[in-house]
Amino acid sequence: MEVKYRSTRDNSKSLTASQAIIQGLSEDGGLFVPENFPKLEVSIDALAKMDYREVAYEVMKLFFSDFTEEELKYCIDHAYDSKFDTEEIAPLSLVEDSYYLELFHGKTIAFKDMALSILPYLMTTSAKKNNVKEKIIILTATSGDTGKAALAGFADVEGTGIVVFYPKGGVSKIQERQMVTQKGKNVKVVGITGNFDDAQTGVKKIFSDKEFEAELLKKGYRFSSANSINIGRLIPQIAYYVFAYTRLVKEGKVASGEPINFTVPTGNFGNILAGFYAKKIGVPVNKLICASNENKVLFDFFETGVYDRNREFILTTSPSMDILISSNLERLIYEIAGCDSNLCKELMNSLTGNGRYEVTDKMKEKCSDFVGGYATEEMVLERIHEIFDRTGYVMDTHTAVASSVYKMYAEKTGDKTTNVVVSTASPYKFTRSVMEALEGKAEDEDDFALIDRLNEISKIPIPNAVEEIRNAEILHDTVCDKEQMKEEVKKFLEK
Ligand SMILES: *Cc1c(COP(=O)(O)O)cnc(C)c1O
């Protein structure tokens, strides 16, 4: 069955998967969504016998239906290989009452690697399929993890270039170091004086600048996005939900067909949306528990049906979730609006204009697959500490948001359904906060001393990704105002 894509803000046109991957965002500002949801073609029991790459193929072939088997397997095999430090790619660990699906075994030790190690292959294959001759320039706003994962994925990939914008002061020291030490002839990293939403808004503005686009096309460039709005990122993420479920079946932890819950630390709503799509293609999912930090705009939305970004932006210890505009939520809004693109557009315009919108009661009812929750900073640190004390397992701050939210959910509802906490980063990526949780604040110690200390007390090996940057040279030091982002892109292309 062929699956085509249309915009959440205009139902009238449809694109193939490869066209949607190249374009990233629709011209009308909307996001591409599949016109219909296919179903898994093989049984859960058959999937349970497959490895990660094979499961990923079974999922992606449904959505990337204009790719040949050879093309898709080429992309998958090059993405999920020895870059990951474990054969399983996405292992599960049982810690007390939940399984932790560890998505941080890739090159940059955060879950963004799951999608960004395949996106460059999907993108260059898509370009070839559509006879695109221009060089593809990836523009990305990052709250910390996307940036490095995208840089690592696209560095020195023929026919591409990449510019990453991050909020200066709004990411962890390790995250920043990972980015500013990135090598590659085709990469640029820029800090902006603003927060993540400013960076994302700035990138969106460049994307919708028609004049600039025409000017660049003449010079042989075309923009695309590596942000989680690209279906080339969203769809590969469905695979690990399918994989996790089938592992539990394989190990006899759940019966084939028995529903499970997923608790997902959420920012831009991309990860959890992939879980929702997994449910739509046939994975038995009961609840998707959407875990926010103190920037709890999604919690409030699921409680009240009002999405309101007019509030203070809080810098937390889980910076990759410090987001007030969760872009991928638009795809859920489209879905619960009964695929009414006019209604979706109206609500999104209201978000742009007034910073808020309200969905109807009927739409809110259709969100029943989701439960919202949030964790305070205090809860996050306490959770890391108590779990380490009792079990020796160390989780990062983002994972701890989800773990805390699940704890509250289980206590409140008594729901005994098997739960998977989606674990999105290695504790070594956010060591300062993790060590604060474990041993109290250590203001005068540098990040690498803390890393060594964490290694000493936890015995968890220090990942390569961390050792690599310990003594690496700083290669990028540009900082610009949020109004200057377009100028920086120009400079990069003229170089
Ligand atoms: C990006 C990120 C998240 C949030 O994922 P979304 O898809 O934006 O909801 C959570 N944790 C970590 C470590 C991340 O890098």
Side-chain angles (χ1 to χ4, degrees), residues 382-395:
E382 192 181 298
R383 188 73 180 154
I384 293 172
H385 193 113
E386 71 177 19
I387 290 285
F388 178 67
D389 269 1
R390 287 201 299 258
T391 69
Y393 189 77
V394 185
M395 61 180 109

Side-chain angles (χ1 to χ4, degrees), residues 351-372:
L351 180 63
T352 311
N354 314 316
R356 76 189 290 283
Y357 59 82
E358 179 164 9
V359 301
T360 62
D361 287 344
K362 205 166 137 226
M363 287 168 77
K364 189 166 173 285
E365 276 166 34
K366 289 197 201 159
C367 293
S368 62
D369 290 319
F370 294 87
V371 186

Side-chain angles (χ1 to χ4, degrees), residues 143 196-197 200 266-269 293 295-298 307 313-314 318-327:
S143 56
F196 170 70
D197 289 326
Q200 182 158 259
T266 298
N268 223 358
F269 208 73
N293 64 23
N295 294 293
K296 60 182 182 62
V297 77
L298 288 166
Y307 191 97
F313 183 95
I314 302 167
S318 44
S320 302
M321 295 159 61
D322 289 345
I323 290 173
L324 292 179
I325 305 174
S326 299
S327 294

Side-chain angles (χ1 to χ4, degrees), residues 375-416:
T376 63
E377 287 293 277
E378 207 184 336
M379 288 175 191
V380 168
L381 297 187
E382 192 181 298
R383 188 73 180 154
I384 293 172
H385 193 113
E386 71 177 19
I387 290 285
F388 178 67
D389 269 1
R390 287 201 299 258
T391 69
Y393 189 77
V394 185
M395 61 180 109
D396 98 290
T397 45
H398 303 74
T399 308
V401 168
S403 184
S404 309
V405 166
Y406 175 69
K407 182 181 163 190
M408 288 183 270
Y409 168 83
E411 276 165 10
K412 187 170 153 210
T413 62
D415 185 355
K416 294 274 186 282

Side-chain angles (χ1 to χ4, degrees), residues 144-378:
D145 292 331
T146 294
K148 177 61 184 186
L151 289 162
F154 281 95
D156 290 328
V157 171
E158 199 70 31
T160 71
I162 174 165
V163 186
V164 168
F165 295 98
Y166 72 94
K168 182 84 189 162
V171 302
S172 87
K173 269 277 169 305
I174 299 289
Q175 286 178 315
E176 181 170 36
R177 228 187 133 71
Q178 278 188 314
M179 290 190 279
V180 298
T181 56
Q182 178 66 46
K183 293 181 192 144
K185 293 189 294 290
N186 62 339
V187 307
K188 179 174 173 116
V189 179
V190 182
I192 70 151
T193 47
N195 60 35
F196 170 70
D197 289 326
D198 295 325
Q200 182 158 259
T201 304
V203 166
K204 281 190 177 166
K205 218 154 104 190
I206 300 176
F207 275 128
S208 55
D209 186 334
K210 292 272 175 281
E211 237 171 82
F212 194 33
E213 184 186 332
E215 186 186 323
L216 290 179
L217 210 54
K218 269 194 230 144
K219 294 182 179 159
Y221 297 114
R222 167 201 283 258
F223 285 133
S224 193
S225 157
N227 272 84
S228 61
I229 49 179
N230 195 311
I231 61 153
R233 270 189 65 181
L234 182 61
I235 304 298
Q237 292 177 174
I238 302 170
Y240 52 75
Y241 286 94
V242 179
F243 184 73
Y245 185 79
T246 59
R247 285 325 93 167
L248 292 174
V249 170
K250 184 181 176 178
E251 288 159 23
K253 310 293 185 200
V254 300
S256 184
E258 181 186 334
I260 66 169
N261 293 335
F262 285 99
T263 307
V264 189
T266 298
N268 223 358
F269 208 73
N271 196 353
I272 197 167
L273 186 76
F276 181 61
Y277 281 13
K279 178 170 186 172
K280 290 179 82 78
I281 66 171
V283 178
V285 178
N286 173 40
K287 290 291 180 196
L288 291 158
I289 302 162
C290 176
S292 299
N293 64 23
E294 289 179 359
N295 294 293
K296 60 182 182 62
V297 77
L298 288 166
F299 168 77
D300 293 340
F301 171 70
F302 286 120
E303 286 292 294
T304 63
V306 177
Y307 191 97
D308 190 350
R309 63 152 303 184
N310 299 306
R311 61 181 75 201
E312 192 195 341
F313 183 95
I314 302 167
L315 288 176
T316 72
T317 53
S318 44
S320 302
M321 295 159 61
D322 289 345
I323 290 173
L324 292 179
I325 305 174
S326 299
S327 294
N328 270 296
L329 186 68
E330 180 167 347
R331 289 186 162 111
L332 180 66
I333 298 296
Y334 175 80
E335 186 77 27
I336 62 174
C339 304
D340 178 343
S341 56
N342 285 327
L343 176 53
C344 185
K345 183 173 168 178
E346 214 174 277
L347 294 173
M348 293 307 133
N349 285 344
S350 163
L351 180 63
T352 311
N354 314 316
R356 76 189 290 283
Y357 59 82
E358 179 164 9
V359 301
T360 62
D361 287 344
K362 205 166 137 226
M363 287 168 77
K364 189 166 173 285
E365 276 166 34
K366 289 197 201 159
C367 293
S368 62
D369 290 319
F370 294 87
V371 186
Y374 76 99
T376 63
E377 287 293 277
E378 207 184 336

